[in-house]
């Protein structure tokens, strides 16, 4: 694509998520209140943080704690730091170029490559949706005894839930998601406090151990934790949501401030996501260490939390119910994020628009077809569908390099980013980190395919 065609493509691109683009007014650059500005910019990070708390993260965190105590807390910490770096690049692309990643790829990548990238990322969107479907169905089974098959079919109705939320406007959606994250955090905080974990073990677990690299089982689980942390749809979503704030992009100081507070918003909410995942790992370590059969399945944890034979005097039906309720919340709110990310990918790559309800319904129906086939062939058991979550993570791992490499390359274009182009340090850190993540994900894929 020639430079002139690139410029025309950028100029003709429709605003990303047109219904929410520039919909939230933020204070001017000379208004002094840091708190006021932070609150105005805060919100997109919450929607993105939901992707770091999906059922795939739950499984790996619980299993990590039950098998290796708090040792893998360091892996969680390193993973979230890598995620912070990548989300910062996504924010920069949205704020400076006023393009989401799909639009930028469509403008600057040859057509044959663009179609391939679109197909890979559509598969990634469906894999993300599949994880949410399975997690929601399992939660409905635990809470109400609803068979998995009917729970999965019932998730078609969350199309209506998502559309209802979107009618509230992006600001109210952000508040709903933030309240949900706080609720989940409080639930796990209460459960961990009741479990009385070892503070010394937690502190020691935050320090990387060489055993992580030498113990094959620990290494593979660490790869699983990292593979479940950085996911393609979060990058696309953040590059678009960063454009939901209305400011004067012709004032350089305003753009710089939007970048600054966008990073604050992202990092604060990713810290919250780290805390929730850490609480899950600590819960698995404190209550189920040495009894991994109870922590590798959601139903096992649910039953274990109310069984005195497993957790002693800490057993409580209320705690097990809260656990399932938290799983249901994360499944539902992740539907909002995956719907928006799917819309971004389709509209950005193909420059077409379809009604949001049609996009959501199409994605959900396509997701349910393989799930139903698996259920009828192998049986509708939780164990089988937890494997579906694992394989969905593998699909996301395959898609990840096709997201991160373009992200680093596009934010390294001076004609697109101007004075905010990547510095040499950021450029090489981005490529090195992407290379490491890619190699780790390849190892994860091989470990699943060739156990």
């Amino acid at each position: 694509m020639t430079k002139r065609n690139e410029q025309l493509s950028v100029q003709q691109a429709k605003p990303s998520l047109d219904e929410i683009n520039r919909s939230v007014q933020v204070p001017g650059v000379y208004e002094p209140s840091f708190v006021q500005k932070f609150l105005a910019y805060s919100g997109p990070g919450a929607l993105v943080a939901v992707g770091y708390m999906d059922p795939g993260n739950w499984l790996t965190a619980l299993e990590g704690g039950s098998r290796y105590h708090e040792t893998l807390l360091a892996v969680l910490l390193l993973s979230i730091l890598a995620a912070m770096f990548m989300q910062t690049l996504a924010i920069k692309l949205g704020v400076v170029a006023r393009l989401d990643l799909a639009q930028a790829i469509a403008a600057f990548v040859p057509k044959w490559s663009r179609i391939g990238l679109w197909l890979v990322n559509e598969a990634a969107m469906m894999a993300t949706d599949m994880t949410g479907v399975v997690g929601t169905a399992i939660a409905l089974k635990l809470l109400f005894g609803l068979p998995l098959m009917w729970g999965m079919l019932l998730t078609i109705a969350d199309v209506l839930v998502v559309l209802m939320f979107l009618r509230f406007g992006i600001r109210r959606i952000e508040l709903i998601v933030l309240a949900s994250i706080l609720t989940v955090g409080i639930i796990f905080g209460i459960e961990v406090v009741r479990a009385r974990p070892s503070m010394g073990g937690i502190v020691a677990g935050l320090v990387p151990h060489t055993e992580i690299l030498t113990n094959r089982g620990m290494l593979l689980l660490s790869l699983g934790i990292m593979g479940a942390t950085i996911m393609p749809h979060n990058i696309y979503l953040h590059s678009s949501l960063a454009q939901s704030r209305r400011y004067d992009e012709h004032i350089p100081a305003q753009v710089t401030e939007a970048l600054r507070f966008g990073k604050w918003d992202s990092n604060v909410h990713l810290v919250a996501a780290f805390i929730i995942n850490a609480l899950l790992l600590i819960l698995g370590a404190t209550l189920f260490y040495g009894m991994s059969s109870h922590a590798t399945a959601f139903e096992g944890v649910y039953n274990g939390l109310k069984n005195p034979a497993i957790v002693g005097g800490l057993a409580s039906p209320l705690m097990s119910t809260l656990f399932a309720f938290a799983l249901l919340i994360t499944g539902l709110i992740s539907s909002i994020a995956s719907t928006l990310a799917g819309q971004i990918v389709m509209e950005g790559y193909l420059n077409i628009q379809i009604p949001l309800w049609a996009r959501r319904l199409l994605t959900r129906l396509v997701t349910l077809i393989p799930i139903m086939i698996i259920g009828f062939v192998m049986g509708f058991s939780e164990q089988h569908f937890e494997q579906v979550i694992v394989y969905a993570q593998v699909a996301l791992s395959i898609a990840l390099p096709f997201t991160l490499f373009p992200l680093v390359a596009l934010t390294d274009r001076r004609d697109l980013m101007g004075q905010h182009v990547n510095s040499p340090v950021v450029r090489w850190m981005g490529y090195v980190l992407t290379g490491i993540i890619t190699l780790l994900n390849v190892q994860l894929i091989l470990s699943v395919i060739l156990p």
Side-chain angles (χ1 to χ4, degrees):
M1 184 178 289
T2 66
K3 189 173 185 63
R4 175 172 173 76
N5 287 336
E6 289 173 353
Q7 292 172 344
L8 288 173
S9 181
V10 171
Q11 291 169 359
Q12 294 169 359
K14 297 178 181 178
S16 182
L17 294 179
D18 192 20
E19 61 271 26
I20 64 175
N21 195 282
R22 305 173 189 259
S23 63
V24 180
Q25 181 64 54
V26 296
V29 68
Y30 299 111
E31 297 183 34
S33 174
F34 176 90
V35 174
Q36 183 183 7
K37 289 179 179 179
F38 174 75
L39 292 176
Y41 280 98
S42 183
L47 276 164
V48 171
V50 171
Y52 293 88
M53 298 180 290
D54 71 356
N57 293 86
W58 284 44
L59 280 176
T60 53
L62 285 167
E63 186 175 357
S66 67
R67 291 176 60 185
Y68 302 112
H69 228 251
E70 291 99 348
T71 305
L72 299 186
L73 280 174
V75 177
L76 269 177
L77 180 59
L78 292 174
S79 298
I80 214 70
L81 291 175
M84 286 179 177
F85 178 86
M86 291 301 175
Q87 297 298 156
T88 295
L89 294 184
I91 293 168
K92 186 162 67 169
L93 181 64
V95 169
V96 177
R98 304 301 298 183
L99 296 170
D100 62 52
L101 181 58
Q103 291 174 329
I105 290 174
F108 294 97
V109 172
K111 184 176 181 179
W112 64 269
S113 299
R114 185 198 324 159
I115 297 300
L117 289 172
W118 171 65
L119 291 173
V120 168
N121 281 285
E122 281 292 351
M125 297 303 113
M126 286 185 282
T128 301
D129 200 48
M130 189 176 292
T131 300
V133 167
V134 173
T136 300
I138 291 174
L140 290 171
K141 178 186 177 183
L142 297 179
L143 287 170
F144 308 110
L146 192 67
L148 282 178
M149 183 183 75
W150 294 111
M152 291 170 183
L153 292 174
L154 188 61
T155 61
I156 294 176
D158 81 1
V159 175
L160 301 177
V161 174
V162 172
L163 291 176
M164 180 185 69
F165 281 163
L166 290 177
R167 288 183 180 275
F168 293 159
I170 189 62
R171 196 62 172 149
R172 289 185 177 88
I173 292 175
E174 291 168 352
L175 292 174
I176 291 170
V177 171
L178 178 59
S180 301
I181 292 173
L182 289 173
T183 301
V184 172
I186 291 170
I187 288 172
F188 289 133
I190 292 172
E191 294 191 344
V192 168
V193 168
R194 290 183 75 254
R196 302 186 191 93
S198 165
M199 292 306 298
I202 294 173
V203 173
L206 292 171
V207 179
H209 294 264
T210 56
E211 185 184 4
I212 295 174
L213 298 176
T214 58
N215 183 313
R216 184 177 183 275
M218 195 177 292
L219 176 60
L220 292 181
L221 189 52
S222 298
L223 296 173
I225 290 173
M226 296 192 73
T229 300
I230 306 175
M231 291 182 286
H233 79 284
N234 279 332
I235 303 296
Y236 284 93
L237 184 61
H238 216 159
S239 64
S240 179
L241 292 177
Q243 302 175 53
S244 64
R245 271 46 187 173
R246 186 165 69 253
Y247 54 87
D248 190 345
E249 64 264 29
H250 301 295
I251 301 177
Q254 185 81 79
V255 174
T256 299
E257 186 165 271
L259 286 173
R260 176 190 174 200
F261 283 97
K263 293 174 186 177
W264 268 102
D265 168 53
S266 176
N267 291 340
V268 166
H269 287 99
L270 287 181
V271 167
F274 165 73
I275 291 172
I276 289 175
N277 280 288
L279 288 172
L280 276 165
L281 191 147
I282 294 167
L283 186 68
T286 306
L287 298 183
F288 302 104
Y289 179 62
M291 298 182 291
S292 60
S293 60
H294 293 294
T296 53
F298 294 126
E299 189 171 3
V301 176
Y302 174 80
N303 292 329
L305 286 172
K306 59 182 178 181
N307 188 345
I310 297 175
V311 297
L314 298 175
S316 167
L318 176 60
M319 289 298 103
S320 63
T321 300
L322 288 175
F323 174 85
F325 180 63
L327 178 61
L328 180 62
I329 288 176
T330 54
L332 289 175
I333 61 177
S334 65
S335 292
I336 300 174
S338 62
T339 296
L340 295 176
Q343 182 182 358
I344 292 163
V345 166
M346 177 170 284
E347 292 183 359
Y349 275 103
L350 304 183
N351 196 25
I352 63 172
Q353 288 184 308
I354 64 174
L356 190 56
W357 66 267
R359 164 71 205 190
R360 182 61 187 157
L361 187 60
L362 176 64
T363 300
R364 181 50 50 90
L365 290 176
V366 172
T367 299
L368 284 173
I369 290 172
I371 287 180
M372 289 295 133
I373 292 174
I374 292 170
F376 285 117
V377 172
M378 303 180 63
F380 286 90
S381 72
E382 184 185 346
Q383 182 179 5
H384 291 149
F385 284 104
E386 285 186 351
Q387 286 300 308
V388 169
I389 292 177
V390 172
Y391 284 109
Q393 287 180 230
V394 173
L396 292 171
S397 298
I398 294 172
L400 192 57
F402 299 97
T403 299
L404 297 185
F405 277 113
L407 176 67
V408 177
L410 287 165
T411 53
D412 200 40
R413 291 183 65 116
R414 185 169 294 277
D415 59 338
L416 186 62
M417 305 305 296
Q419 64 176 339
H420 297 286
V421 68
N422 293 339
S423 67
V425 173
V426 170
R427 177 194 311 135
W428 290 111
M429 185 180 296
Y431 282 124
V432 169
L433 187 57
T434 300
I436 292 173
I437 292 172
T438 300
L439 290 175
L440 291 174
N441 279 288
V442 168
Q443 179 64 33
L444 173 62
I445 294 166
L446 292 177
S447 71
V448 174
I449 298 175
L450 305 171

